[in-house]
Amino acid sequence: MRGASEVLRRLEDSLRHAVEGVGRLLPGKLQPLELAAELRRAMQQSQTQSPEGTYVANRYQLRLSPSDLDLFGGLREELEAQLAEDLAEYAREEGYLASPLVRVSMQPAETLSPGRVQVTTAFDSEPLPARLTVLGGMPPQSWEIRGQVTLGRSDLCHVRLEEPAVSRQHARLYWTYPGYVLEDLGSQNGTFVGGAPISRALLREGDVIEVGLVQLGFSYRLD
């Protein structure tokens, strides 16, 4: 498969050794690289257009016959993790917007014959946990984020930034798939992401936000 990750190729070799003597790794075309290809096709079919770009699903369920699933044995969880990693890498390569938490699960389907596979997809609706951390302009501090918060100098703001260049209600951070969006609330001195002024921007892992003279680091908490 074009662009397949090296880790998937190594995993396929491990699986081949694990089921040596069965005759074939799996009936039909259900080798790990073929499963990865099916998942990529499912990702393409999940595309949803938006002003920010092309969204794709982040939850994938692979349904296999019980006999096919049994052949993976104790390597099943490792394969699920590597298939998810491959999907996330593929989304980055194609410029798709996906939640930073991509998951693949393999489930038995009694109605499927050996060698057949079905893929279902879903978009997470619940916001992921994230964190804002002061990088400069204020004493070190951090805030846990889940859902919607307001940044500003006001006591009513969840992320209170006591710095004169910060407006009382400066910016808003809120979840909308596939991630957190930062929106300026008409502040006097503007809001910046990566040094560029924004009115609204989808944040990515590691982005640096500037609010007034305060620099904040954005990160997800996926552990």
Side-chain angles (χ1 to χ4, degrees):
M1 184 179 67
R2 182 180 68 85
S5 62
E6 193 63 31
V7 70
L8 276 175
R9 295 188 186 278
R10 291 197 300 268
L11 182 57
E12 186 171 62
D13 289 339
S14 299
L15 285 164
R16 186 172 289 109
H17 291 305
V19 297
E20 192 172 5
V22 173
R24 284 182 296 176
L25 179 59
L26 280 175
K29 292 186 176 182
L30 294 189
Q31 290 83 5
L33 292 180
E34 291 298 331
L35 294 178
E38 289 292 335
L39 288 166
R40 289 183 176 200
R41 280 191 283 272
M43 176 174 275
Q44 292 170 355
Q45 293 169 0
S46 75
Q47 293 181 37
T48 300
Q49 301 300 322
S50 75
E52 289 79 20
T54 303
Y55 292 179
V56 290
N58 69 307
R59 295 278 180 175
Y60 296 80
Q61 185 181 88
L62 275 169
R63 303 181 72 230
L64 313 172
S65 72
S67 59
D68 281 352
L69 197 58
D70 287 345
L71 288 178
F72 291 113
L75 293 174
R76 176 174 163 183
E77 288 187 5
E78 182 181 357
L79 179 56
E80 289 174 337
Q82 298 301 344
L83 288 169
E85 182 181 324
D86 180 75
L87 264 184
E89 181 180 339
Y90 178 65
R92 288 191 293 270
E93 290 172 354
E94 296 298 313
Y96 295 149
L97 300 176
S99 166
L101 187 63
V102 176
R103 287 289 182 264
V104 172
S105 65
M106 302 171 69
Q107 301 295 331
E110 299 288 345
T111 57
L112 288 180
S113 57
R116 300 293 301 275
V117 60
Q118 290 180 346
V119 182
T120 58
T121 62
F123 293 78
D124 269 340
S125 58
E126 292 297 317
L128 294 175
R131 176 184 289 122
L132 289 176
T133 303
V134 174
L135 302 178
M138 276 180 55
Q141 190 176 355
S142 65
W143 296 266
E144 303 301 316
I145 309 297
R146 190 157 195 154
Q148 178 173 308
V149 297
T150 304
L151 293 71
R153 216 173 62 249
S154 169
D155 292 342
L156 300 177
C157 293
H158 177 268
V159 178
R160 189 180 179 208
L161 305 173
E162 299 183 74
E163 201 279 323
V166 175
S167 297
R168 290 182 59 77
Q169 301 279 332
H170 196 109
R172 180 169 67 112
L173 185 65
Y174 62 95
W175 170 267
T176 178
Y177 188 90
Y180 281 94
V181 172
L182 182 66
E183 180 181 30
D184 185 79
L185 297 178
S187 65
Q188 183 175 354
N189 294 309
T191 301
F192 298 77
V193 175
I198 62 100
S199 58
R200 184 175 183 270
L202 178 66
L203 296 181
R204 299 180 185 275
E205 176 72 21
D207 273 346
V208 176
I209 300 165
E210 295 176 57
V211 179
L213 298 178
V214 179
Q215 294 83 48
L216 303 166
F218 173 82
S219 61
Y220 282 100
R221 298 186 60 213
L222 304 180
D223 49 349

CSV table of all heavy atoms in Angstrom, one decimal, residues 76-109:
chain,number,residue,atom,x,y,z
A,76,ARG,N,-3.8,-8.3,18.8
A,76,ARG,CA,-4.9,-7.4,18.4
A,76,ARG,C,-4.8,-6.0,18.9
A,76,ARG,O,-5.0,-5.1,18.1
A,76,ARG,CB,-6.2,-8.1,18.9
A,76,ARG,CG,-7.5,-7.3,18.6
A,76,ARG,CD,-8.7,-8.1,19.1
A,76,ARG,NE,-9.9,-7.3,19.2
A,76,ARG,CZ,-11.0,-7.7,19.7
A,76,ARG,NH1,-11.2,-9.0,20.0
A,76,ARG,NH2,-12.1,-6.9,19.8
A,77,GLU,N,-4.5,-5.8,20.1
A,77,GLU,CA,-4.5,-4.4,20.7
A,77,GLU,C,-3.3,-3.6,20.0
A,77,GLU,O,-3.5,-2.4,19.7
A,77,GLU,CB,-4.3,-4.4,22.2
A,77,GLU,CG,-5.6,-4.8,22.9
A,77,GLU,CD,-5.4,-4.6,24.4
A,77,GLU,OE1,-4.4,-4.1,24.9
A,77,GLU,OE2,-6.3,-5.0,25.1
A,78,GLU,N,-2.2,-4.3,19.8
A,78,GLU,CA,-1.1,-3.6,19.1
A,78,GLU,C,-1.4,-3.2,17.7
A,78,GLU,O,-1.1,-2.2,17.2
A,78,GLU,CB,0.2,-4.5,19.1
A,78,GLU,CG,1.4,-3.9,18.5
A,78,GLU,CD,2.6,-4.8,18.5
A,78,GLU,OE1,2.5,-5.9,19.0
A,78,GLU,OE2,3.6,-4.4,18.0
A,79,LEU,N,-2.1,-4.1,17.0
A,79,LEU,CA,-2.5,-3.8,15.6
A,79,LEU,C,-3.5,-2.7,15.6
A,79,LEU,O,-3.4,-1.8,14.7
A,79,LEU,CB,-3.2,-5.1,15.0
A,79,LEU,CG,-3.7,-4.9,13.6
A,79,LEU,CD1,-2.6,-4.4,12.6
A,79,LEU,CD2,-4.3,-6.2,13.1
A,80,GLU,N,-4.5,-2.6,16.6
A,80,GLU,CA,-5.4,-1.5,16.6
A,80,GLU,C,-4.7,-0.2,16.8
A,80,GLU,O,-5.0,0.8,16.1
A,80,GLU,CB,-6.4,-1.7,17.8
A,80,GLU,CG,-7.4,-2.8,17.6
A,80,GLU,CD,-8.3,-3.1,18.8
A,80,GLU,OE1,-7.8,-2.8,19.9
A,80,GLU,OE2,-9.4,-3.6,18.6
A,81,ALA,N,-3.7,-0.2,17.7
A,81,ALA,CA,-2.9,1.0,17.9
A,81,ALA,C,-2.1,1.5,16.7
A,81,ALA,O,-2.1,2.7,16.3
A,81,ALA,CB,-2.0,0.9,19.1
A,82,GLN,N,-1.5,0.5,16.0
A,82,GLN,CA,-0.7,0.8,14.8
A,82,GLN,C,-1.6,1.3,13.6
A,82,GLN,O,-1.2,2.2,12.9
A,82,GLN,CB,0.2,-0.3,14.4
A,82,GLN,CG,1.2,-0.8,15.5
A,82,GLN,CD,2.1,0.4,15.9
A,82,GLN,OE1,2.2,1.4,15.1
A,82,GLN,NE2,2.8,0.2,17.0
A,83,LEU,N,-2.8,0.7,13.5
A,83,LEU,CA,-3.7,1.1,12.4
A,83,LEU,C,-4.2,2.5,12.7
A,83,LEU,O,-4.3,3.3,11.8
A,83,LEU,CB,-4.9,0.1,12.4
A,83,LEU,CG,-4.6,-1.3,11.8
A,83,LEU,CD1,-5.8,-2.2,12.0
A,83,LEU,CD2,-4.3,-1.2,10.3
A,84,ALA,N,-4.4,2.9,14.0
A,84,ALA,CA,-4.8,4.2,14.3
A,84,ALA,C,-3.7,5.2,14.0
A,84,ALA,O,-4.0,6.3,13.5
A,84,ALA,CB,-5.2,4.3,15.8
A,85,GLU,N,-2.5,4.8,14.3
A,85,GLU,CA,-1.3,5.7,14.1
A,85,GLU,C,-1.2,5.9,12.6
A,85,GLU,O,-0.9,7.0,12.1
A,85,GLU,CB,-0.1,5.0,14.6
A,85,GLU,CG,1.2,5.9,14.4
A,85,GLU,CD,2.4,5.2,15.0
A,85,GLU,OE1,2.3,4.5,16.0
A,85,GLU,OE2,3.5,5.3,14.4
A,86,ASP,N,-1.4,4.9,11.8
A,86,ASP,CA,-1.3,5.0,10.3
A,86,ASP,C,-2.4,5.9,9.8
A,86,ASP,O,-2.2,6.8,8.9
A,86,ASP,CB,-1.5,3.6,9.7
A,86,ASP,CG,-1.4,3.7,8.1
A,86,ASP,OD1,-0.3,3.9,7.6
A,86,ASP,OD2,-2.4,3.6,7.5
A,87,LEU,N,-3.6,5.8,10.4
A,87,LEU,CA,-4.7,6.7,9.9
A,87,LEU,C,-4.4,8.2,10.3
A,87,LEU,O,-4.7,9.1,9.4
A,87,LEU,CB,-6.0,6.3,10.6
A,87,LEU,CG,-7.0,5.4,9.9
A,87,LEU,CD1,-8.2,5.2,10.7
A,87,LEU,CD2,-7.3,5.9,8.5
A,88,ALA,N,-3.9,8.4,11.4
A,88,ALA,CA,-3.6,9.8,11.8
A,88,ALA,C,-2.5,10.4,10.9
A,88,ALA,O,-2.6,11.5,10.5
A,88,ALA,CB,-3.1,9.8,13.3
A,89,GLU,N,-1.5,9.6,10.6
A,89,GLU,CA,-0.5,10.0,9.7
A,89,GLU,C,-1.0,10.3,8.3
A,89,GLU,O,-0.7,11.3,7.6
A,89,GLU,CB,0.6,8.9,9.6
A,89,GLU,CG,1.8,9.3,8.7
A,89,GLU,CD,2.8,8.2,8.6
A,89,GLU,OE1,2.9,7.4,9.6
A,89,GLU,OE2,3.6,8.2,7.6
A,90,TYR,N,-1.9,9.4,7.8
A,90,TYR,CA,-2.6,9.6,6.5
A,90,TYR,C,-3.4,10.9,6.5
A,90,TYR,O,-3.3,11.7,5.5
A,90,TYR,CB,-3.5,8.4,6.2
A,90,TYR,CG,-4.2,8.5,4.9
A,90,TYR,CD1,-3.6,8.6,3.7
A,90,TYR,CD2,-5.6,8.6,4.9
A,90,TYR,CE1,-4.3,8.6,2.5
A,90,TYR,CE2,-6.3,8.7,3.7
A,90,TYR,CZ,-5.6,8.7,2.5
A,90,TYR,OH,-6.3,8.8,1.3
A,91,ALA,N,-4.1,11.2,7.6
A,91,ALA,CA,-4.9,12.5,7.6
A,91,ALA,C,-4.0,13.7,7.5
A,91,ALA,O,-4.3,14.6,6.8
A,91,ALA,CB,-5.7,12.5,9.0
A,92,ARG,N,-2.8,13.6,8.2
A,92,ARG,CA,-1.9,14.7,8.1
A,92,ARG,C,-1.3,14.9,6.7
A,92,ARG,O,-1.2,16.0,6.2
A,92,ARG,CB,-0.7,14.5,9.1
A,92,ARG,CG,-1.1,14.7,10.5
A,92,ARG,CD,0.1,14.7,11.4
A,92,ARG,NE,0.8,13.4,11.5
A,92,ARG,CZ,0.6,12.5,12.3
A,92,ARG,NH1,-0.4,12.6,13.3
A,92,ARG,NH2,1.2,11.3,12.3
A,93,GLU,N,-1.0,13.8,6.1
A,93,GLU,CA,-0.5,13.8,4.7
A,93,GLU,C,-1.5,14.4,3.7
A,93,GLU,O,-1.1,15.1,2.8
A,93,GLU,CB,-0.1,12.4,4.2
A,93,GLU,CG,1.1,11.8,4.9
A,93,GLU,CD,1.3,10.3,4.6
A,93,GLU,OE1,0.5,9.8,3.9
A,93,GLU,OE2,2.3,9.8,5.0
A,94,GLU,N,-2.8,14.1,3.9
A,94,GLU,CA,-3.8,14.5,3.0
A,94,GLU,C,-4.3,15.9,3.3
A,94,GLU,O,-5.1,16.5,2.6
A,94,GLU,CB,-5.0,13.5,3.0
A,94,GLU,CG,-4.6,12.2,2.4
A,94,GLU,CD,-4.1,12.2,1.0
A,94,GLU,OE1,-4.8,12.9,0.2
A,94,GLU,OE2,-3.1,11.6,0.7
A,95,GLY,N,-3.9,16.5,4.5
A,95,GLY,CA,-4.4,17.8,4.9
A,95,GLY,C,-5.8,17.7,5.5
A,95,GLY,O,-6.5,18.8,5.5
A,96,TYR,N,-6.3,16.6,5.9
A,96,TYR,CA,-7.6,16.4,6.5
A,96,TYR,C,-7.5,17.0,8.0
A,96,TYR,O,-6.5,16.9,8.6
A,96,TYR,CB,-8.0,15.0,6.6
A,96,TYR,CG,-8.3,14.3,5.3
A,96,TYR,CD1,-8.0,13.0,5.1
A,96,TYR,CD2,-8.7,15.0,4.2
A,96,TYR,CE1,-8.3,12.3,3.9
A,96,TYR,CE2,-8.9,14.4,2.9
A,96,TYR,CZ,-8.7,13.1,2.8
A,96,TYR,OH,-8.9,12.4,1.6
A,97,LEU,N,-8.7,17.4,8.4
A,97,LEU,CA,-8.8,17.9,9.8
A,97,LEU,C,-9.5,16.8,10.6
A,97,LEU,O,-10.6,16.4,10.4
A,97,LEU,CB,-9.6,19.2,9.9
A,97,LEU,CG,-9.1,20.4,9.2
A,97,LEU,CD1,-10.0,21.5,9.2
A,97,LEU,CD2,-7.7,20.8,9.7
A,98,ALA,N,-8.7,16.2,11.5
A,98,ALA,CA,-9.2,15.1,12.4
A,98,ALA,C,-8.9,15.4,13.8
A,98,ALA,O,-7.9,16.1,14.1
A,98,ALA,CB,-8.6,13.7,12.0
A,99,SER,N,-9.8,14.9,14.7
A,99,SER,CA,-9.5,15.0,16.1
A,99,SER,C,-8.1,14.4,16.4
A,99,SER,O,-7.7,13.4,15.8
A,99,SER,CB,-10.5,14.2,16.9
A,99,SER,OG,-10.1,14.1,18.3
A,100,PRO,N,-7.3,15.0,17.3
A,100,PRO,CA,-6.0,14.4,17.7
A,100,PRO,C,-6.1,13.0,18.3
A,100,PRO,O,-5.1,12.3,18.4
A,100,PRO,CB,-5.4,15.4,18.7
A,100,PRO,CG,-6.6,16.1,19.2
A,100,PRO,CD,-7.6,16.2,18.1
A,101,LEU,N,-7.3,12.6,18.6
A,101,LEU,CA,-7.5,11.3,19.2
A,101,LEU,C,-8.2,10.4,18.2
A,101,LEU,O,-9.4,10.4,18.0
A,101,LEU,CB,-8.3,11.4,20.5
A,101,LEU,CG,-8.5,10.1,21.3
A,101,LEU,CD1,-7.1,9.6,21.8
A,101,LEU,CD2,-9.5,10.2,22.4
A,102,VAL,N,-7.4,9.7,17.4
A,102,VAL,CA,-7.9,8.7,16.4
A,102,VAL,C,-7.8,7.3,17.0
A,102,VAL,O,-6.8,6.9,17.5
A,102,VAL,CB,-7.1,8.8,15.1
A,102,VAL,CG1,-7.6,7.7,14.1
A,102,VAL,CG2,-7.1,10.2,14.5
A,103,ARG,N,-9.0,6.6,16.9
A,103,ARG,CA,-9.0,5.3,17.5
A,103,ARG,C,-9.6,4.3,16.5
A,103,ARG,O,-10.5,4.6,15.7
A,103,ARG,CB,-9.9,5.3,18.8
A,103,ARG,CG,-9.3,6.0,19.9
A,103,ARG,CD,-8.2,5.2,20.5
A,103,ARG,NE,-7.5,5.8,21.7
A,103,ARG,CZ,-6.4,6.5,21.6
A,103,ARG,NH1,-5.8,6.8,20.5
A,103,ARG,NH2,-5.9,7.0,22.7
A,104,VAL,N,-9.0,3.0,16.6
A,104,VAL,CA,-9.5,1.9,15.8
A,104,VAL,C,-9.8,0.8,16.7
A,104,VAL,O,-9.0,0.4,17.6
A,104,VAL,CB,-8.5,1.5,14.8
A,104,VAL,CG1,-8.9,0.2,14.1
A,104,VAL,CG2,-8.2,2.6,13.7
A,105,SER,N,-11.0,0.2,16.6
A,105,SER,CA,-11.3,-1.0,17.3
A,105,SER,C,-11.7,-2.2,16.4
A,105,SER,O,-12.4,-1.9,15.3
A,105,SER,CB,-12.5,-0.8,18.3
A,105,SER,OG,-13.7,-0.5,17.7
A,106,MET,N,-11.3,-3.4,16.7
A,106,MET,CA,-11.7,-4.5,15.9
A,106,MET,C,-12.7,-5.4,16.6
A,106,MET,O,-12.5,-5.7,17.8
A,106,MET,CB,-10.4,-5.3,15.6
A,106,MET,CG,-9.3,-4.5,14.9
A,106,MET,SD,-7.7,-5.4,14.8
A,106,MET,CE,-8.2,-6.7,13.6
A,107,GLN,N,-13.8,-5.7,16.0
A,107,GLN,CA,-14.9,-6.4,16.6
A,107,GLN,C,-15.4,-7.6,15.8
A,107,GLN,O,-15.3,-7.5,14.5
A,107,GLN,CB,-16.1,-5.4,16.8
A,107,GLN,CG,-15.8,-4.2,17.7
A,107,GLN,CD,-15.4,-4.6,19.1
A,107,GLN,OE1,-15.9,-5.6,19.6
A,107,GLN,NE2,-14.6,-3.7,19.8
A,108,PRO,N,-15.8,-8.7,16.4
A,108,PRO,CA,-16.4,-9.8,15.7
A,108,PRO,C,-17.7,-9.5,15.1
A,108,PRO,O,-18.5,-8.8,15.7
A,108,PRO,CB,-16.4,-10.9,16.7
A,108,PRO,CG,-16.6,-10.2,18.0
A,108,PRO,CD,-15.9,-8.9,17.9
A,109,ALA,N,-18.0,-10.1,13.9
A,109,ALA,CA,-19.3,-10.0,13.3
A,109,ALA,C,-19.7,-11.4,12.8
A,109,ALA,O,-19.1,-11.9,11.9
A,109,ALA,CB,-19.3,-9.0,12.2
